[in-house]
Amino acid sequence: MATRTKRPRVAQPGGGGEPDSDPVAGFLSWCGRVGLELSPKVAVSRQGTVAGYGMVTRESVLPGELLFAVPRAALLSPHTCSIRDLLERERDALQSQSGWVPLLLALLHELQAPASLWSPYFALWPELDRLEHPMFWPEEERQRLLQGTGVPEAVEKDLANIRSEFYSIVLPFMEAHPDLFGPSVRSLELYHQLVALVMAYSFQEPLEEEEDEKEPNSPLMVPAADILNHLANHNANLEYSADYLRMVATRPIPKGQEVFNTYGQMANWQLIHMYGFVEPYPDNTDDTADIQMVTVREAAVRGTKGEAERLQLYERWDFLCKLEMVGEEGAFVIGREEVLTEEELAATLKVLCMPAEEFREFKDRDGWGEDEWEEDRLTVTNIPKLKASWRQLLRDSVLLTLQTYATDLKTEEDVLSNKEAYAKLSWREKQALQVRYGQKMILHQLLELTS
């Protein structure tokens, strides 16, 4: 995770002392005390970075070179914080849908603890009331700028879950331990801000291959690693070992260049939702567009003639649900060069478009075998070769999806091609425009491929 939002000094709620007059110097001194090893070839800086603090090379760096190493004792997690014993004892009571409550309580405590080990680290955090996630935008602005992108719906779910988690778990826990949580941190507003911070700055250690069936690891804060900004075309990567987390260069980085980590393959709608920024088109090679699964059903229903055909179509949809290929809240995800939900989309087009007799046989067999599936590979490049009925259903679904946006592609292109008009947009308007434009470019590519 981690972010490129602005990083001025944090206003620490409820104490924690005044931040160091030079937050970077205070942080580097702290690194020395906790054993966080920073290569002499890199520097923490505001100069030469895309936004806020970042890491810049003082000398050229080769692939495989260590940029810094963070000992596990310096990580901020429920297992390292000063109330770890209490959090462990109460672990069952702190279970939640997000799985983030123990870390958030650790942060709430450490932020107002006068002698917190991590105070110099907090000094490099952004001001919590200046985070730019859409959850902090007025609802009207969020709807107006991001309609059709999937972000408003994701934010509404977040806000409902955050409120529920705070009042049912977090606030009762803090009120039960008033000696550890002062009144200043018993605030839904602050909890919102810390959820956004965890979204944007925390890291999640990947599971080992043999642990695939386990629940994901809880998030943790990794000082130094969360200073790095993100690019799809990154030049560094975080590696995990028993004693240290190491940031390693993945390709040559010339002197004076910024070091970029990756937060994973993130579409622009995910970046703005979770991190509060986007990559301008066409830089984000991981960008995607979603076609809601129910939109494909709606397009298919519109193509039916009469009640009998509609009922048959719903029977096919129910069978796809049984095969776990579709769901009421699912989406087909299309990238610039690949269909990320290839199997699900191919199955849906095939089942919704197959002749009635073929569907009866298909249903009797309870689906198809591996060989049959291999015949129906659905990649971006072979979309023009699909059966005409499949192409038509996909096209109709794309057209319905494009109707969910408030503006069309030409409107976006006119603004982007007019430097004066683009410069007049607010920061949020620019970010939202890039999200919409990237998605529409992918959808219009699909229109061309299905024509």
Side-chain angles (χ1 to χ4, degrees):
M1 302 179 191
T3 187
R4 290 196 302 190
T5 51
K6 300 167 187 169
R7 293 189 172 90
R9 288 178 292 166
V10 67
Q12 296 181 30
E18 280 299 306
D20 194 299
S21 57
D22 181 353
V24 173
F27 175 72
L28 295 176
S29 173
W30 176 81
C31 288
R33 294 198 298 275
V34 298
L36 197 161
E37 303 163 21
L38 208 61
S39 165
K41 290 189 174 185
V42 297
V44 176
S45 174
R46 285 184 182 280
Q47 315 256 287
T49 64
V50 294
Y53 289 116
M55 192 167 283
V56 178
T57 53
R58 288 173 160 156
E59 301 174 37
S60 60
V61 171
L62 296 173
E65 278 199 65
L66 180 69
L67 302 170
F68 57 84
V70 188
R72 285 192 176 265
L75 305 177
L76 176 43
S77 79
H79 307 296
T80 59
C81 69
S82 54
I83 57 169
R84 57 187 172 272
D85 293 339
L86 173 63
L87 295 177
E88 179 59 31
R89 278 199 309 275
E90 299 289 332
R91 182 171 54 176
D92 290 345
L94 301 179
Q95 296 290 320
S96 69
Q97 187 179 346
S98 72
W100 294 6
V101 166
L103 175 60
L104 289 159
L105 285 166
L107 296 180
L108 286 163
H109 174 70
E110 296 295 338
L111 270 175
Q112 40 100 73
S116 173
L117 170 66
W118 288 276
S119 288
Y121 161 58
F122 297 149
L124 292 193
W125 276 10
E127 288 180 18
L128 296 178
D129 60 1
R130 291 180 64 186
L131 294 169
E132 273 292 356
H133 298 63
M135 72 164 67
F136 301 116
W137 302 8
E139 184 179 358
E140 177 279 326
E141 187 175 21
R142 191 164 60 235
Q143 291 290 348
R144 175 168 49 85
L145 296 180
L146 293 165
Q147 179 184 323
T149 64
V151 175
E153 294 80 4
V155 169
E156 287 308 312
K157 284 182 186 174
D158 288 345
L159 293 176
N161 290 339
I162 290 166
R163 185 178 182 82
S164 168
E165 197 172 79
F166 179 76
Y167 284 113
S168 64
I169 304 173
V170 175
L171 185 59
F173 184 86
M174 290 195 288
E175 288 174 338
H177 302 282
D179 54 322
L180 298 174
F181 298 95
S184 65
V185 295
R186 292 182 225 159
S187 146
L188 177 60
E189 181 184 14
L190 176 60
Y191 192 69
H192 268 132
Q193 293 166 346
L194 288 179
V195 168
L197 193 97
V198 168
M199 258 189 186
Y201 278 69
S202 70
F203 290 75
Q204 211 157 14
E205 189 161 359
L207 293 169
E208 299 293 333
E209 282 185 24
E210 62 272 14
E211 297 178 323
D212 276 351
E213 299 303 312
K214 281 179 58 179
E215 288 290 308
N217 285 314
S218 300
L220 40 84
M221 309 304 291
V222 186
D226 58 15
I227 290 170
L228 269 61
N229 294 307
H230 161 96
L231 277 183
N233 187 25
H234 58 285
N235 52 22
N237 197 39
L238 191 65
E239 298 179 354
Y240 296 80
S241 67
D243 300 318
Y244 285 87
L245 275 59
R246 295 179 171 84
M247 190 66 71
V248 176
T250 55
R251 52 191 177 85
I253 311 175
K255 178 181 177 180
Q257 295 290 304
E258 184 166 3
V259 179
F260 289 100
N261 185 22
T262 173
Y263 311 154
Q265 291 183 302
M266 292 279 174
N268 268 348
W269 81 266
Q270 293 169 307
L271 286 175
I272 199 167
H273 169 224
M274 295 179 66
Y275 304 98
F277 76 94
V278 302
E279 288 194 69
Y281 187 87
D283 295 352
N284 188 356
T285 51
D286 295 322
D287 209 4
T288 62
D290 286 2
I291 299 173
Q292 297 302 311
M293 290 175 171
V294 291
T295 299
V296 179
R297 182 183 66 191
E298 172 65 16
V301 166
R302 291 187 183 196
T304 58
K305 301 185 182 91
E307 185 65 17
E309 276 192 26
R310 264 198 300 281
L311 290 173
Q312 286 170 10
L313 191 126
Y314 282 115
E315 181 188 1
R316 294 170 185 223
W317 181 262
D318 291 343
F319 189 67
L320 286 165
C321 289
K322 180 186 162 193
L323 293 178
E324 296 185 342
M325 289 294 175
V326 297
E328 294 297 308
E329 295 189 3
F332 300 115
V333 185
I334 320 291
R336 289 195 204 164
E337 296 180 358
E338 63 177 325
V339 180
L340 279 72
T341 51
E342 178 190 349
E343 184 178 355
E344 292 83 355
L345 182 55
T348 302
L349 295 175
K350 178 170 185 166
V351 170
L352 296 184
C353 294
M354 62 175 49
E357 183 60 38
E358 187 180 340
F359 175 67
R360 278 195 293 274
E361 292 173 9
F362 176 75
K363 193 175 178 185
D364 289 344
R365 294 201 313 269
D366 214 21
W368 56 80
E370 193 64 34
D371 293 345
E372 288 176 278
W373 160 240
E374 285 299 323
E375 292 172 9
D376 297 314
R377 304 303 296 179
L378 198 160
T379 63
V380 167
T381 51
N382 78 2
I383 284 174
K385 301 172 195 166
L386 296 176
K387 293 176 183 174
S389 58
W390 293 30
R391 287 203 315 276
Q392 187 61 52
L393 178 53
L394 183 54
R395 182 180 182 78
D396 292 345
S397 304
V398 171
L399 290 169
L400 282 179
T401 301
L402 285 166
Q403 289 176 21
T404 64
Y405 296 92
T407 54
D408 60 17
L409 182 65
K410 186 176 185 311
T411 304
E412 319 286 34
E413 285 174 336
D414 288 347
V415 177
L416 283 166
S417 61
N418 184 332
K419 288 183 181 177
E420 195 176 317
Y422 187 72
K424 287 179 181 174
L425 298 179
S426 70
W427 187 87
R428 290 175 181 176
E429 287 170 335
K430 289 175 182 173
Q431 302 292 292
L433 172 58
Q434 294 290 349
V435 176
R436 299 192 308 264
Y437 184 68
Q439 291 183 350
K440 289 176 190 174
M441 287 295 284
I442 292 170
L443 292 169
H444 276 265
Q445 179 191 19
L446 285 177
L447 283 186
E448 288 178 21
L449 292 169
T450 54
S451 62

